[in-house]
Amino acid sequence: MAEHHTGPAEVGAPMDYNEHEQTYNMFLAATKYGTLFLVALLLGMTAGFFTGAGFLGGLVVLLIVFIAGLVLLR
């Protein structure tokens, strides 16, 4: 049958909370700026493919949206 333990559930090394918080903050930053880049890329591709802007117009839209997003997300 199942064994019943009366000791603590965690028997490994102690948690390094400072390192955990740094890793979590890096994950949040990567998620935030990655999402911003993908949104800017999709808007640039939309401008390039579905309007008369072409490749350079889409690139300009991508850069404008990405830079504006960087300024707004600070």
Side-chain angles (χ1 to χ4, degrees), residues 34-69 72:
T35 302
L36 170 64
F37 176 74
L38 290 177
V39 167
L41 179 65
L42 287 174
L43 289 174
M45 289 172 64
T46 301
F49 291 141
F50 299 118
T51 65
F55 176 75
L56 290 178
L59 185 63
V60 168
V61 169
L62 179 136
L63 291 174
I64 289 172
V65 171
F66 188 68
I67 292 171
L72 291 174

PDB file of all heavy atoms in Angstrom, residues 34-69 72:
ATOM      1  N   GLY A  34       8.521  39.922 -27.395  1.00  0.00           N
ATOM      2  CA  GLY A  34       8.269  38.971 -28.480  1.00  0.00           C
ATOM      3  C   GLY A  34       6.887  39.155 -29.077  1.00  0.00           C
ATOM      4  O   GLY A  34       6.716  39.117 -30.300  1.00  0.00           O
ATOM      5  N   THR A  35       5.902  39.372 -28.226  1.00  0.00           N
ATOM      6  CA  THR A  35       4.544  39.624 -28.699  1.00  0.00           C
ATOM      7  C   THR A  35       4.480  40.933 -29.478  1.00  0.00           C
ATOM      8  O   THR A  35       3.838  41.014 -30.534  1.00  0.00           O
ATOM      9  CB  THR A  35       3.562  39.668 -27.517  1.00  0.00           C
ATOM     10  OG1 THR A  35       3.629  38.426 -26.822  1.00  0.00           O
ATOM     11  CG2 THR A  35       2.139  39.914 -27.984  1.00  0.00           C
ATOM     12  N   LEU A  36       5.169  41.952 -28.982  1.00  0.00           N
ATOM     13  CA  LEU A  36       5.224  43.231 -29.701  1.00  0.00           C
ATOM     14  C   LEU A  36       5.826  43.042 -31.084  1.00  0.00           C
ATOM     15  O   LEU A  36       5.292  43.559 -32.070  1.00  0.00           O
ATOM     16  CB  LEU A  36       6.036  44.251 -28.902  1.00  0.00           C
ATOM     17  CG  LEU A  36       6.378  45.552 -29.628  1.00  0.00           C
ATOM     18  CD1 LEU A  36       5.106  46.332 -29.951  1.00  0.00           C
ATOM     19  CD2 LEU A  36       7.337  46.375 -28.809  1.00  0.00           C
ATOM     20  N   PHE A  37       6.932  42.299 -31.188  1.00  0.00           N
ATOM     21  CA  PHE A  37       7.564  42.086 -32.481  1.00  0.00           C
ATOM     22  C   PHE A  37       6.640  41.330 -33.429  1.00  0.00           C
ATOM     23  O   PHE A  37       6.539  41.675 -34.613  1.00  0.00           O
ATOM     24  CB  PHE A  37       8.886  41.327 -32.323  1.00  0.00           C
ATOM     25  CG  PHE A  37       9.522  41.005 -33.638  1.00  0.00           C
ATOM     26  CD1 PHE A  37      10.130  41.999 -34.383  1.00  0.00           C
ATOM     27  CD2 PHE A  37       9.480  39.725 -34.147  1.00  0.00           C
ATOM     28  CE1 PHE A  37      10.704  41.715 -35.612  1.00  0.00           C
ATOM     29  CE2 PHE A  37      10.042  39.425 -35.370  1.00  0.00           C
ATOM     30  CZ  PHE A  37      10.658  40.423 -36.106  1.00  0.00           C
ATOM     31  N   LEU A  38       5.941  40.307 -32.926  1.00  0.00           N
ATOM     32  CA  LEU A  38       5.045  39.538 -33.800  1.00  0.00           C
ATOM     33  C   LEU A  38       3.871  40.377 -34.286  1.00  0.00           C
ATOM     34  O   LEU A  38       3.459  40.262 -35.451  1.00  0.00           O
ATOM     35  CB  LEU A  38       4.551  38.290 -33.077  1.00  0.00           C
ATOM     36  CG  LEU A  38       5.615  37.218 -32.844  1.00  0.00           C
ATOM     37  CD1 LEU A  38       5.034  36.056 -32.047  1.00  0.00           C
ATOM     38  CD2 LEU A  38       6.182  36.729 -34.159  1.00  0.00           C
ATOM     39  N   VAL A  39       3.334  41.240 -33.433  1.00  0.00           N
ATOM     40  CA  VAL A  39       2.237  42.123 -33.849  1.00  0.00           C
ATOM     41  C   VAL A  39       2.739  43.106 -34.908  1.00  0.00           C
ATOM     42  O   VAL A  39       2.075  43.328 -35.933  1.00  0.00           O
ATOM     43  CB  VAL A  39       1.639  42.862 -32.632  1.00  0.00           C
ATOM     44  CG1 VAL A  39       0.734  43.997 -33.066  1.00  0.00           C
ATOM     45  CG2 VAL A  39       0.892  41.888 -31.751  1.00  0.00           C
ATOM     46  N   ALA A  40       3.927  43.677 -34.690  1.00  0.00           N
ATOM     47  CA  ALA A  40       4.494  44.606 -35.668  1.00  0.00           C
ATOM     48  C   ALA A  40       4.777  43.888 -36.986  1.00  0.00           C
ATOM     49  O   ALA A  40       4.539  44.440 -38.064  1.00  0.00           O
ATOM     50  CB  ALA A  40       5.769  45.233 -35.115  1.00  0.00           C
ATOM     51  N   LEU A  41       5.271  42.660 -36.912  1.00  0.00           N
ATOM     52  CA  LEU A  41       5.549  41.882 -38.116  1.00  0.00           C
ATOM     53  C   LEU A  41       4.263  41.595 -38.895  1.00  0.00           C
ATOM     54  O   LEU A  41       4.226  41.751 -40.120  1.00  0.00           O
ATOM     55  CB  LEU A  41       6.244  40.571 -37.753  1.00  0.00           C
ATOM     56  CG  LEU A  41       6.583  39.643 -38.905  1.00  0.00           C
ATOM     57  CD1 LEU A  41       7.617  40.291 -39.810  1.00  0.00           C
ATOM     58  CD2 LEU A  41       7.090  38.318 -38.370  1.00  0.00           C
ATOM     59  N   LEU A  42       3.208  41.213 -38.197  1.00  0.00           N
ATOM     60  CA  LEU A  42       1.940  40.932 -38.874  1.00  0.00           C
ATOM     61  C   LEU A  42       1.365  42.194 -39.512  1.00  0.00           C
ATOM     62  O   LEU A  42       0.832  42.138 -40.631  1.00  0.00           O
ATOM     63  CB  LEU A  42       0.938  40.319 -37.900  1.00  0.00           C
ATOM     64  CG  LEU A  42       1.217  38.879 -37.512  1.00  0.00           C
ATOM     65  CD1 LEU A  42       0.247  38.423 -36.429  1.00  0.00           C
ATOM     66  CD2 LEU A  42       1.122  37.978 -38.713  1.00  0.00           C
ATOM     67  N   LEU A  43       1.461  43.321 -38.826  1.00  0.00           N
ATOM     68  CA  LEU A  43       0.968  44.570 -39.416  1.00  0.00           C
ATOM     69  C   LEU A  43       1.809  44.980 -40.622  1.00  0.00           C
ATOM     70  O   LEU A  43       1.280  45.461 -41.629  1.00  0.00           O
ATOM     71  CB  LEU A  43       0.942  45.679 -38.367  1.00  0.00           C
ATOM     72  CG  LEU A  43      -0.123  45.528 -37.289  1.00  0.00           C
ATOM     73  CD1 LEU A  43       0.052  46.600 -36.225  1.00  0.00           C
ATOM     74  CD2 LEU A  43      -1.505  45.586 -37.893  1.00  0.00           C
ATOM     75  N   GLY A  44       3.120  44.791 -40.541  1.00  0.00           N
ATOM     76  CA  GLY A  44       3.987  45.088 -41.673  1.00  0.00           C
ATOM     77  C   GLY A  44       3.700  44.176 -42.859  1.00  0.00           C
ATOM     78  O   GLY A  44       3.678  44.617 -44.012  1.00  0.00           O
ATOM     79  N   MET A  45       3.477  42.903 -42.596  1.00  0.00           N
ATOM     80  CA  MET A  45       3.149  41.963 -43.668  1.00  0.00           C
ATOM     81  C   MET A  45       1.797  42.296 -44.287  1.00  0.00           C
ATOM     82  O   MET A  45       1.621  42.200 -45.509  1.00  0.00           O
ATOM     83  CB  MET A  45       3.153  40.528 -43.137  1.00  0.00           C
ATOM     84  CG  MET A  45       4.542  40.023 -42.826  1.00  0.00           C
ATOM     85  SD  MET A  45       4.553  38.430 -41.996  1.00  0.00           S
ATOM     86  CE  MET A  45       3.838  37.382 -43.226  1.00  0.00           C
ATOM     87  N   THR A  46       0.848  42.702 -43.458  1.00  0.00           N
ATOM     88  CA  THR A  46      -0.464  43.095 -43.977  1.00  0.00           C
ATOM     89  C   THR A  46      -0.337  44.312 -44.887  1.00  0.00           C
ATOM     90  O   THR A  46      -0.924  44.343 -45.963  1.00  0.00           O
ATOM     91  CB  THR A  46      -1.426  43.393 -42.810  1.00  0.00           C
ATOM     92  OG1 THR A  46      -1.537  42.236 -41.998  1.00  0.00           O
ATOM     93  CG2 THR A  46      -2.786  43.797 -43.313  1.00  0.00           C
ATOM     94  N   ALA A  47       0.447  45.293 -44.445  1.00  0.00           N
ATOM     95  CA  ALA A  47       0.635  46.487 -45.277  1.00  0.00           C
ATOM     96  C   ALA A  47       1.379  46.144 -46.557  1.00  0.00           C
ATOM     97  O   ALA A  47       1.083  46.695 -47.618  1.00  0.00           O
ATOM     98  CB  ALA A  47       1.406  47.551 -44.492  1.00  0.00           C
ATOM     99  N   GLY A  48       2.317  45.239 -46.492  1.00  0.00           N
ATOM    100  CA  GLY A  48       3.096  44.893 -47.668  1.00  0.00           C
ATOM    101  C   GLY A  48       2.356  44.038 -48.670  1.00  0.00           C
ATOM    102  O   GLY A  48       2.501  44.214 -49.881  1.00  0.00           O
ATOM    103  N   PHE A  49       1.542  43.099 -48.182  1.00  0.00           N
ATOM    104  CA  PHE A  49       0.878  42.158 -49.078  1.00  0.00           C
ATOM    105  C   PHE A  49      -0.483  42.649 -49.583  1.00  0.00           C
ATOM    106  O   PHE A  49      -0.848  42.391 -50.722  1.00  0.00           O
ATOM    107  CB  PHE A  49       0.683  40.807 -48.402  1.00  0.00           C
ATOM    108  CG  PHE A  49       1.960  40.049 -48.169  1.00  0.00           C
ATOM    109  CD1 PHE A  49       2.152  39.341 -47.005  1.00  0.00           C
ATOM    110  CD2 PHE A  49       2.967  40.041 -49.121  1.00  0.00           C
ATOM    111  CE1 PHE A  49       3.314  38.634 -46.793  1.00  0.00           C
ATOM    112  CE2 PHE A  49       4.138  39.334 -48.914  1.00  0.00           C
ATOM    113  CZ  PHE A  49       4.316  38.631 -47.747  1.00  0.00           C
ATOM    114  N   PHE A  50      -1.244  43.315 -48.740  1.00  0.00           N
ATOM    115  CA  PHE A  50      -2.625  43.626 -49.089  1.00  0.00           C
ATOM    116  C   PHE A  50      -2.867  45.075 -49.465  1.00  0.00           C
ATOM    117  O   PHE A  50      -3.998  45.467 -49.727  1.00  0.00           O
ATOM    118  CB  PHE A  50      -3.556  43.220 -47.946  1.00  0.00           C
ATOM    119  CG  PHE A  50      -3.505  41.745 -47.663  1.00  0.00           C
ATOM    120  CD1 PHE A  50      -3.078  41.273 -46.435  1.00  0.00           C
ATOM    121  CD2 PHE A  50      -3.876  40.823 -48.631  1.00  0.00           C
ATOM    122  CE1 PHE A  50      -3.025  39.925 -46.180  1.00  0.00           C
ATOM    123  CE2 PHE A  50      -3.828  39.473 -48.383  1.00  0.00           C
ATOM    124  CZ  PHE A  50      -3.391  39.016 -47.156  1.00  0.00           C
ATOM    125  N   THR A  51      -1.850  45.893 -49.448  1.00  0.00           N
ATOM    126  CA  THR A  51      -1.979  47.274 -49.915  1.00  0.00           C
ATOM    127  C   THR A  51      -0.914  47.489 -50.980  1.00  0.00           C
ATOM    128  O   THR A  51      -0.152  46.600 -51.306  1.00  0.00           O
ATOM    129  CB  THR A  51      -1.768  48.274 -48.750  1.00  0.00           C
ATOM    130  OG1 THR A  51      -0.424  48.173 -48.296  1.00  0.00           O
ATOM    131  CG2 THR A  51      -2.724  48.015 -47.603  1.00  0.00           C
ATOM    132  N   GLY A  52      -0.835  48.650 -51.508  1.00  0.00           N
ATOM    133  CA  GLY A  52       0.151  48.944 -52.533  1.00  0.00           C
ATOM    134  C   GLY A  52       1.506  49.335 -51.963  1.00  0.00           C
ATOM    135  O   GLY A  52       2.349  49.851 -52.686  1.00  0.00           O
ATOM    136  N   ALA A  53       1.733  49.096 -50.688  1.00  0.00           N
ATOM    137  CA  ALA A  53       2.964  49.550 -50.043  1.00  0.00           C
ATOM    138  C   ALA A  53       4.185  48.760 -50.494  1.00  0.00           C
ATOM    139  O   ALA A  53       5.276  49.312 -50.586  1.00  0.00           O
ATOM    140  CB  ALA A  53       2.824  49.463 -48.530  1.00  0.00           C
ATOM    141  N   GLY A  54       4.027  47.489 -50.753  1.00  0.00           N
ATOM    142  CA  GLY A  54       5.155  46.667 -51.169  1.00  0.00           C
ATOM    143  C   GLY A  54       6.074  46.326 -50.009  1.00  0.00           C
ATOM    144  O   GLY A  54       5.751  46.544 -48.836  1.00  0.00           O
ATOM    145  N   PHE A  55       7.254  45.792 -50.347  1.00  0.00           N
ATOM    146  CA  PHE A  55       8.188  45.343 -49.322  1.00  0.00           C
ATOM    147  C   PHE A  55       8.695  46.493 -48.459  1.00  0.00           C
ATOM    148  O   PHE A  55       8.703  46.399 -47.232  1.00  0.00           O
ATOM    149  CB  PHE A  55       9.380  44.620 -49.961  1.00  0.00           C
ATOM    150  CG  PHE A  55      10.437  44.217 -48.970  1.00  0.00           C
ATOM    151  CD1 PHE A  55      10.230  43.136 -48.137  1.00  0.00           C
ATOM    152  CD2 PHE A  55      11.616  44.930 -48.868  1.00  0.00           C
ATOM    153  CE1 PHE A  55      11.194  42.769 -47.212  1.00  0.00           C
ATOM    154  CE2 PHE A  55      12.586  44.567 -47.955  1.00  0.00           C
ATOM    155  CZ  PHE A  55      12.373  43.479 -47.125  1.00  0.00           C
ATOM    156  N   LEU A  56       9.126  47.572 -49.089  1.00  0.00           N
ATOM    157  CA  LEU A  56       9.676  48.690 -48.311  1.00  0.00           C
ATOM    158  C   LEU A  56       8.615  49.370 -47.449  1.00  0.00           C
ATOM    159  O   LEU A  56       8.887  49.777 -46.325  1.00  0.00           O
ATOM    160  CB  LEU A  56      10.345  49.696 -49.235  1.00  0.00           C
ATOM    161  CG  LEU A  56      11.644  49.211 -49.884  1.00  0.00           C
ATOM    162  CD1 LEU A  56      12.189  50.279 -50.829  1.00  0.00           C
ATOM    163  CD2 LEU A  56      12.658  48.832 -48.850  1.00  0.00           C
ATOM    164  N   GLY A  57       7.412  49.482 -47.969  1.00  0.00           N
ATOM    165  CA  GLY A  57       6.323  50.050 -47.169  1.00  0.00           C
ATOM    166  C   GLY A  57       5.996  49.184 -45.964  1.00  0.00           C
ATOM    167  O   GLY A  57       5.765  49.678 -44.869  1.00  0.00           O
ATOM    168  N   GLY A  58       5.983  47.866 -46.170  1.00  0.00           N
ATOM    169  CA  GLY A  58       5.746  46.953 -45.052  1.00  0.00           C
ATOM    170  C   GLY A  58       6.850  47.026 -44.018  1.00  0.00           C
ATOM    171  O   GLY A  58       6.603  46.960 -42.817  1.00  0.00           O
ATOM    172  N   LEU A  59       8.099  47.179 -44.500  1.00  0.00           N
ATOM    173  CA  LEU A  59       9.232  47.307 -43.587  1.00  0.00           C
ATOM    174  C   LEU A  59       9.133  48.591 -42.777  1.00  0.00           C
ATOM    175  O   LEU A  59       9.411  48.600 -41.572  1.00  0.00           O
ATOM    176  CB  LEU A  59      10.544  47.273 -44.376  1.00  0.00           C
ATOM    177  CG  LEU A  59      11.835  47.287 -43.569  1.00  0.00           C
ATOM    178  CD1 LEU A  59      11.928  46.047 -42.694  1.00  0.00           C
ATOM    179  CD2 LEU A  59      13.022  47.381 -44.497  1.00  0.00           C
ATOM    180  N   VAL A  60       8.704  49.656 -43.419  1.00  0.00           N
ATOM    181  CA  VAL A  60       8.529  50.933 -42.712  1.00  0.00           C
ATOM    182  C   VAL A  60       7.435  50.806 -41.661  1.00  0.00           C
ATOM    183  O   VAL A  60       7.600  51.277 -40.518  1.00  0.00           O
ATOM    184  CB  VAL A  60       8.218  52.073 -43.714  1.00  0.00           C
ATOM    185  CG1 VAL A  60       7.759  53.327 -43.000  1.00  0.00           C
ATOM    186  CG2 VAL A  60       9.425  52.356 -44.579  1.00  0.00           C
ATOM    187  N   VAL A  61       6.331  50.158 -42.000  1.00  0.00           N
ATOM    188  CA  VAL A  61       5.248  49.962 -41.036  1.00  0.00           C
ATOM    189  C   VAL A  61       5.738  49.122 -39.856  1.00  0.00           C
ATOM    190  O   VAL A  61       5.471  49.441 -38.693  1.00  0.00           O
ATOM    191  CB  VAL A  61       4.017  49.302 -41.706  1.00  0.00           C
ATOM    192  CG1 VAL A  61       3.001  48.851 -40.680  1.00  0.00           C
ATOM    193  CG2 VAL A  61       3.385  50.259 -42.698  1.00  0.00           C
ATOM    194  N   LEU A  62       6.480  48.050 -40.136  1.00  0.00           N
ATOM    195  CA  LEU A  62       7.019  47.204 -39.074  1.00  0.00           C
ATOM    196  C   LEU A  62       7.892  48.018 -38.133  1.00  0.00           C
ATOM    197  O   LEU A  62       7.742  47.938 -36.908  1.00  0.00           O
ATOM    198  CB  LEU A  62       7.836  46.049 -39.671  1.00  0.00           C
ATOM    199  CG  LEU A  62       8.462  45.101 -38.661  1.00  0.00           C
ATOM    200  CD1 LEU A  62       8.266  43.673 -39.123  1.00  0.00           C
ATOM    201  CD2 LEU A  62       9.929  45.375 -38.474  1.00  0.00           C
ATOM    202  N   LEU A  63       8.800  48.812 -38.673  1.00  0.00           N
ATOM    203  CA  LEU A  63       9.700  49.606 -37.833  1.00  0.00           C
ATOM    204  C   LEU A  63       8.959  50.655 -37.016  1.00  0.00           C
ATOM    205  O   LEU A  63       9.243  50.849 -35.836  1.00  0.00           O
ATOM    206  CB  LEU A  63      10.780  50.260 -38.694  1.00  0.00           C
ATOM    207  CG  LEU A  63      11.807  49.301 -39.295  1.00  0.00           C
ATOM    208  CD1 LEU A  63      12.735  50.055 -40.234  1.00  0.00           C
ATOM    209  CD2 LEU A  63      12.577  48.590 -38.213  1.00  0.00           C
ATOM    210  N   ILE A  64       7.990  51.317 -37.646  1.00  0.00           N
ATOM    211  CA  ILE A  64       7.232  52.350 -36.927  1.00  0.00           C
ATOM    212  C   ILE A  64       6.437  51.739 -35.779  1.00  0.00           C
ATOM    213  O   ILE A  64       6.461  52.243 -34.651  1.00  0.00           O
ATOM    214  CB  ILE A  64       6.313  53.128 -37.895  1.00  0.00           C
ATOM    215  CG1 ILE A  64       7.154  54.011 -38.801  1.00  0.00           C
ATOM    216  CG2 ILE A  64       5.288  53.963 -37.129  1.00  0.00           C
ATOM    217  CD1 ILE A  64       6.367  54.675 -39.911  1.00  0.00           C
ATOM    218  N   VAL A  65       5.743  50.635 -36.043  1.00  0.00           N
ATOM    219  CA  VAL A  65       4.943  50.002 -34.987  1.00  0.00           C
ATOM    220  C   VAL A  65       5.838  49.451 -33.889  1.00  0.00           C
ATOM    221  O   VAL A  65       5.534  49.598 -32.703  1.00  0.00           O
ATOM    222  CB  VAL A  65       4.053  48.876 -35.594  1.00  0.00           C
ATOM    223  CG1 VAL A  65       3.389  48.054 -34.505  1.00  0.00           C
ATOM    224  CG2 VAL A  65       3.018  49.482 -36.523  1.00  0.00           C
ATOM    225  N   PHE A  66       6.961  48.846 -34.254  1.00  0.00           N
ATOM    226  CA  PHE A  66       7.860  48.270 -33.258  1.00  0.00           C
ATOM    227  C   PHE A  66       8.480  49.353 -32.370  1.00  0.00           C
ATOM    228  O   PHE A  66       8.509  49.219 -31.147  1.00  0.00           O
ATOM    229  CB  PHE A  66       8.956  47.437 -33.935  1.00  0.00           C
ATOM    230  CG  PHE A  66       9.796  46.662 -32.958  1.00  0.00           C
ATOM    231  CD1 PHE A  66       9.254  45.614 -32.247  1.00  0.00           C
ATOM    232  CD2 PHE A  66      11.121  46.980 -32.770  1.00  0.00           C
ATOM    233  CE1 PHE A  66      10.020  44.892 -31.352  1.00  0.00           C
ATOM    234  CE2 PHE A  66      11.904  46.271 -31.879  1.00  0.00           C
ATOM    235  CZ  PHE A  66      11.350  45.219 -31.169  1.00  0.00           C
ATOM    236  N   ILE A  67       8.936  50.439 -32.974  1.00  0.00           N
ATOM    237  CA  ILE A  67       9.540  51.518 -32.192  1.00  0.00           C
ATOM    238  C   ILE A  67       8.487  52.199 -31.306  1.00  0.00           C
ATOM    239  O   ILE A  67       8.754  52.505 -30.142  1.00  0.00           O
ATOM    240  CB  ILE A  67      10.256  52.517 -33.112  1.00  0.00           C
ATOM    241  CG1 ILE A  67      11.483  51.833 -33.731  1.00  0.00           C
ATOM    242  CG2 ILE A  67      10.652  53.781 -32.376  1.00  0.00           C
ATOM    243  CD1 ILE A  67      12.155  52.619 -34.820  1.00  0.00           C
ATOM    244  N   ALA A  68       7.286  52.414 -31.847  1.00  0.00           N
ATOM    245  CA  ALA A  68       6.220  53.009 -31.032  1.00  0.00           C
ATOM    246  C   ALA A  68       5.861  52.089 -29.864  1.00  0.00           C
ATOM    247  O   ALA A  68       5.641  52.557 -28.746  1.00  0.00           O
ATOM    248  CB  ALA A  68       4.989  53.270 -31.904  1.00  0.00           C
ATOM    249  N   GLY A  69       5.832  50.792 -30.105  1.00  0.00           N
ATOM    250  CA  GLY A  69       5.544  49.849 -29.040  1.00  0.00           C
ATOM    251  C   GLY A  69       6.630  49.846 -27.973  1.00  0.00           C
ATOM    252  O   GLY A  69       6.338  49.755 -26.785  1.00  0.00           O
ATOM    253  N   LEU A  72       6.057  52.870 -25.856  1.00  0.00           N
ATOM    254  CA  LEU A  72       4.862  52.765 -25.009  1.00  0.00           C
ATOM    255  C   LEU A  72       4.990  51.705 -23.910  1.00  0.00           C
ATOM    256  O   LEU A  72       4.373  51.851 -22.857  1.00  0.00           O
ATOM    257  CB  LEU A  72       3.650  52.456 -25.872  1.00  0.00           C
ATOM    258  CG  LEU A  72       3.196  53.585 -26.798  1.00  0.00           C
ATOM    259  CD1 LEU A  72       2.067  53.097 -27.714  1.00  0.00           C
ATOM    260  CD2 LEU A  72       2.759  54.796 -26.000  1.00  0.00           C
TER     261      LEU A  72
END
